[in-house]
Short mmCIF file of all heavy atoms in Angstrom, two decimals:
data_model
loop_
_atom_site.label_atom_id
_atom_site.label_comp_id
_atom_site.label_asym_id
_atom_site.label_seq_id
_atom_site.Cartn_x
_atom_site.Cartn_y
_atom_site.Cartn_z
N ALA A 11 5.93 27.76 23.30
CA ALA A 11 6.76 28.42 22.18
C ALA A 11 8.22 28.64 22.75
O ALA A 11 9.22 28.42 22.05
CB ALA A 11 6.19 29.63 21.76
N PHE A 15 11.70 27.12 21.24
CA PHE A 15 12.74 28.11 20.91
C PHE A 15 14.07 27.62 21.56
O PHE A 15 15.06 27.53 20.87
CB PHE A 15 12.35 29.41 21.26
CG PHE A 15 13.22 30.56 20.91
CD1 PHE A 15 13.12 31.11 19.65
CD2 PHE A 15 14.25 30.95 21.72
CE1 PHE A 15 13.97 32.18 19.30
CE2 PHE A 15 15.07 32.00 21.43
CZ PHE A 15 15.08 32.64 20.19
N ASP A 57 7.69 58.74 21.54
CA ASP A 57 7.45 58.66 20.13
C ASP A 57 7.45 57.20 19.73
O ASP A 57 7.68 56.34 20.50
CB ASP A 57 8.45 59.42 19.29
CG ASP A 57 9.92 58.96 19.47
OD1 ASP A 57 10.14 57.77 19.61
OD2 ASP A 57 10.86 59.74 19.36
N GLN A 59 9.43 55.22 18.02
CA GLN A 59 10.64 54.61 18.16
C GLN A 59 10.88 54.17 19.62
O GLN A 59 11.31 53.03 19.90
CB GLN A 59 11.92 55.41 17.49
CG GLN A 59 13.15 54.66 17.67
CD GLN A 59 14.34 55.41 17.10
OE1 GLN A 59 14.16 56.63 16.58
NE2 GLN A 59 15.45 54.93 17.04
N GLN A 60 10.66 55.15 20.47
CA GLN A 60 10.81 54.90 21.90
C GLN A 60 9.79 53.83 22.33
O GLN A 60 10.16 52.99 23.24
CB GLN A 60 10.56 56.24 22.69
CG GLN A 60 11.75 57.28 22.40
CD GLN A 60 11.27 58.73 22.83
OE1 GLN A 60 10.11 59.00 22.86
NE2 GLN A 60 12.24 59.48 23.10
N SER A 88 -2.70 32.00 38.23
CA SER A 88 -3.08 31.68 39.64
C SER A 88 -2.14 32.49 40.70
O SER A 88 -2.64 32.96 41.69
CB SER A 88 -2.85 30.14 39.93
OG SER A 88 -3.86 29.46 39.16
N ALA A 89 -0.89 32.47 40.37
CA ALA A 89 -0.01 33.24 41.34
C ALA A 89 -0.31 34.77 41.27
O ALA A 89 -0.25 35.39 42.41
CB ALA A 89 1.46 33.00 40.74
N ARG A 91 -3.30 36.09 40.65
CA ARG A 91 -4.49 36.28 41.46
C ARG A 91 -4.34 36.12 42.91
O ARG A 91 -5.01 36.93 43.72
CB ARG A 91 -5.62 35.31 40.84
CG ARG A 91 -5.99 35.72 39.43
CD ARG A 91 -7.19 34.84 39.05
NE ARG A 91 -7.47 35.02 37.69
CZ ARG A 91 -8.10 36.18 37.15
NH1 ARG A 91 -8.45 37.18 38.08
NH2 ARG A 91 -8.30 36.32 35.90
N SER A 103 -8.75 49.35 50.58
CA SER A 103 -8.90 50.68 49.79
C SER A 103 -9.43 51.80 50.78
O SER A 103 -9.12 52.89 50.55
CB SER A 103 -9.95 50.44 48.72
OG SER A 103 -11.12 49.97 49.12
#
Side-chain angles (χ1 to χ4, degrees):
F15 184 87
D57 65 29
Q59 183 179 2
Q60 294 163 333
S88 295
R91 291 188 186 285
S103 62

